[in-house]
Amino acid sequence: MAVLPFLTSLTCAASLLSHSALAQPQEQPGLSSQTPFQAPFQAPLAADSSQGCPDLTSWIRQTTSVNWTIGDWVALEPQLRALQNRCLRNVEYYALLGAAQLNSGRLMLALESLERALLLDPQHGGAQIDYAQALFRRGELFSALAMNQRIIDREDLPTTLRPMLTERQRQWRSLTKQHTLRAEIQAGYDNNLNGAPTPSEITLTLSGEDVLLALDESYHAIAGPYMNARLRSTYREMAPNSQQNWLFDVRGRISEDEASDLVQLDGRYAYIRPSRARSWQVSGGLSHLMFGGKPLYTAAGAEAQIASQRVMSSCTPFAGVASQYQLFHNQSTLNAIESKITLGVNCQSANSFNAQGSGGLLGGEERQPNEPSGHKWWQRMQWTPTASILHSEPVKNNRPGNRRTGWQINLDWRLPIWSGTLNAQFSHTEMDDSDGYSPVLANNAKRKIDRSYALIQYRLPVTSQTTLQWNAFWQRQHSNLDLFKSRDRTLEFGVQYRF
């Protein structure tokens, strides 16, 4: 093969090192982004459109200059587009146009132009290199790896490019196995550390008479400061057709009220299988909670989800089923199997590039550093509304209230803003018992509970490893039985460190 196709590839390779996700762009001080284009491009663009495609060799050589910047690519792209009607059959033109669009943040247009170049010449080196990068930025990691390896295996690859492409292959392959360890510490204030009911008095029904009973002080809400500590380990392993995730989490809370201190342990495994039409995942986990130094409950659960990969009005629909066995160590009559059926959609206002196999199951990834950041704030939002049907089946027949059925709606909302990310979660749940809860409460009325909560969180990265976060939590539970009415408000500030 002639060296010329790899001159475009040198353009692309230079851009990969100085303008892509592999390294941050380095602007040259005092260099105008428009300056390199004025002399070589004014005359051809002024030419009649009936003329043939101009010779691109000198323009390609300009883009290999060490002084070439992202601003130069941005200025070049519209001028190249003006030549399209004259260069419909020119592979060099589409390879150069694709490189300009890729480095200008126009990913979808770059993919289209580079695919056009490879249709005209499947062996064009420059188009292959940039096409691999475009696939990577779109989240198609294994397609990018396959294309990049194909280039490395070429016998006509210039020796100056091989180390560069080999290093890119190594960096991309390292993304297939990721392990993170995060530690958090938070300080906050809670107006109901012990989850006590709101009323200080409840009404009992004794021998057909209503009797007012004042609750002991130990059942009153206890307010005070607290400290949270958390350690989370995650491991992700990706293959061309699947992904596996492991999560191990331990967190604890201490306060002046030792009876309200808690420790929670969680472990979870998920297997994800993506495809062009749909993605699905199965997962399972264990959870153990200690409250006041004593084991409260242990739960084991399994879940399955399926998501369509077809985007409908910027949203991808998904559905899931889950079941959990709940074991209460000190009150075996409360043991139950809780099941849930969920429908939802994963929506985003602006184009974003999801990780391999994420689809509607895992949500979108954060914007790549070189993507355009000029979107208005409402164009960067992501939100996930869900609706669920709930059923709780007691393991023993003597559980107060017997079966419980209900429904739940949730909204997860996310907005990158002010160099950080604003997250919000809203939830409302209603549950009804099938039988009377207790003869001494409201004449054995069937218990009805509705619970709402809101969590507002702002996370601000201050270094590549350290993130500050502020949390505000509010919860209200209402019931026809006074014993189950409660309110909880929490404010906390903390720091997360990623090892």
Side-chain angles (χ1 to χ4, degrees), residues 212-275:
L212 197 63
L213 175 67
L215 293 177
D216 186 84
E217 287 189 2
S218 61
Y219 290 96
H220 291 181
I222 298 176
Y226 65 87
M227 292 287 292
N228 263 345
R230 187 174 195 172
L231 187 64
R232 168 176 287 198
S233 175
T234 59
Y235 179 75
R236 179 170 70 170
E237 182 175 324
M238 293 186 291
N241 299 313
S242 65
Q243 177 177 314
Q244 299 181 79
N245 295 343
W246 288 264
L247 167 68
F248 301 97
D249 193 28
V250 55
R251 69 183 185 94
R253 185 187 72 182
I254 58 173
S255 65
E256 294 178 352
D257 180 43
E258 294 183 0
S260 301
D261 293 346
L262 62 84
V263 176
Q264 184 169 350
L265 305 173
D266 289 291
R268 188 173 181 84
Y269 168 79
Y271 178 84
I272 302 119
R273 190 68 180 262
S275 69

Side-chain angles (χ1 to χ4, degrees), residues 160-417:
T160 54
L161 291 181
R162 189 174 299 278
M164 184 185 306
L165 297 176
T166 302
E167 174 61 17
R168 182 170 77 167
Q169 188 78 352
R170 185 195 66 79
Q171 291 190 28
W172 288 356
R173 191 167 294 282
S174 69
L175 298 178
T176 63
K177 296 181 180 180
Q178 300 175 4
H179 176 258
T180 60
L181 182 63
R182 292 182 174 90
E184 292 181 19
I185 186 166
Q186 298 169 337
Y189 184 88
D190 193 336
N191 75 327
N192 193 353
L193 287 165
N194 55 339
T198 302
S200 58
E201 299 176 330
I202 62 173
T203 301
L204 302 181
T205 304
L206 300 175
S207 302
E209 298 287 336
D210 289 340
V211 177
L212 197 63
L213 175 67
L215 293 177
D216 186 84
E217 287 189 2
S218 61
Y219 290 96
H220 291 181
I222 298 176
Y226 65 87
M227 292 287 292
N228 263 345
R230 187 174 195 172
L231 187 64
R232 168 176 287 198
S233 175
T234 59
Y235 179 75
R236 179 170 70 170
E237 182 175 324
M238 293 186 291
N241 299 313
S242 65
Q243 177 177 314
Q244 299 181 79
N245 295 343
W246 288 264
L247 167 68
F248 301 97
D249 193 28
V250 55
R251 69 183 185 94
R253 185 187 72 182
I254 58 173
S255 65
E256 294 178 352
D257 180 43
E258 294 183 0
S260 301
D261 293 346
L262 62 84
V263 176
Q264 184 169 350
L265 305 173
D266 289 291
R268 188 173 181 84
Y269 168 79
Y271 178 84
I272 302 119
R273 190 68 180 262
S275 69
R276 290 189 177 274
R278 65 188 60 87
S279 296
W280 58 267
Q281 77 172 31
V282 293
S283 59
L286 288 170
S287 181
H288 179 71
L289 178 66
M290 297 185 65
F291 191 80
K294 299 178 181 179
L296 181 62
Y297 81 85
T298 300
E303 183 177 1
Q305 287 185 326
I306 185 168
S308 171
Q309 296 292 67
R310 295 184 175 88
V311 178
M312 302 183 301
S313 300
S314 301
C315 296
T316 54
F318 63 92
V321 294
S323 185
Q324 185 183 71
Y325 177 80
Q326 300 168 341
L327 171 66
F328 289 84
H329 294 277
N330 300 316
Q331 292 178 294
S332 60
T333 57
L334 300 181
N335 295 349
I337 298 175
E338 187 167 299
S339 304
K340 179 168 69 173
I341 300 175
T342 301
L343 295 175
V345 290
N346 217 335
C347 303
Q348 50 196 11
S349 296
N351 289 332
S352 66
F353 309 102
N354 293 338
Q356 177 86 358
S358 61
L361 299 176
L362 304 179
E365 296 292 324
E366 294 184 4
R367 181 175 57 84
Q368 295 290 338
N370 288 329
E371 294 172 31
S373 58
H375 296 300
K376 302 297 184 181
W377 68 269
W378 60 85
Q379 296 175 314
R380 301 194 300 268
M381 289 191 301
Q382 297 181 18
W383 64 98
T384 305
T386 61
S388 304
I389 297 175
L390 308 175
H391 179 81
S392 179
E393 185 73 21
V395 174
K396 297 182 178 180
N397 294 328
N398 59 342
R399 185 176 75 167
N402 202 2
R403 294 183 178 88
R404 299 172 189 166
T405 57
W407 54 271
Q408 182 181 76
I409 55 174
N410 293 282
L411 174 63
D412 290 348
W413 181 83
R414 178 172 178 259
L415 174 66
I417 189 172

Side-chain angles (χ1 to χ4, degrees), residues 94-151:
Y94 280 107
L96 184 58
L97 176 62
Q101 291 168 333
L102 178 63
N103 290 286
S104 300
R106 298 174 175 268
L107 181 61
M108 301 310 295
L109 291 176
L111 283 163
E112 183 179 340
S113 297
L114 294 168
E115 287 170 358
R116 182 75 175 265
L118 292 174
L119 284 174
L120 294 170
D121 180 4
Q123 297 301 313
H124 191 280
Q128 286 182 333
I129 288 180
D130 274 347
Y131 189 60
Q133 177 70 9
L135 290 172
F136 172 76
R137 289 187 53 187
R138 192 169 67 172
E140 298 184 26
L141 176 59
F142 289 96
S143 297
L145 282 167
M147 173 62 75
N148 198 61
Q149 188 61 51
R150 195 180 311 161
I151 303 168

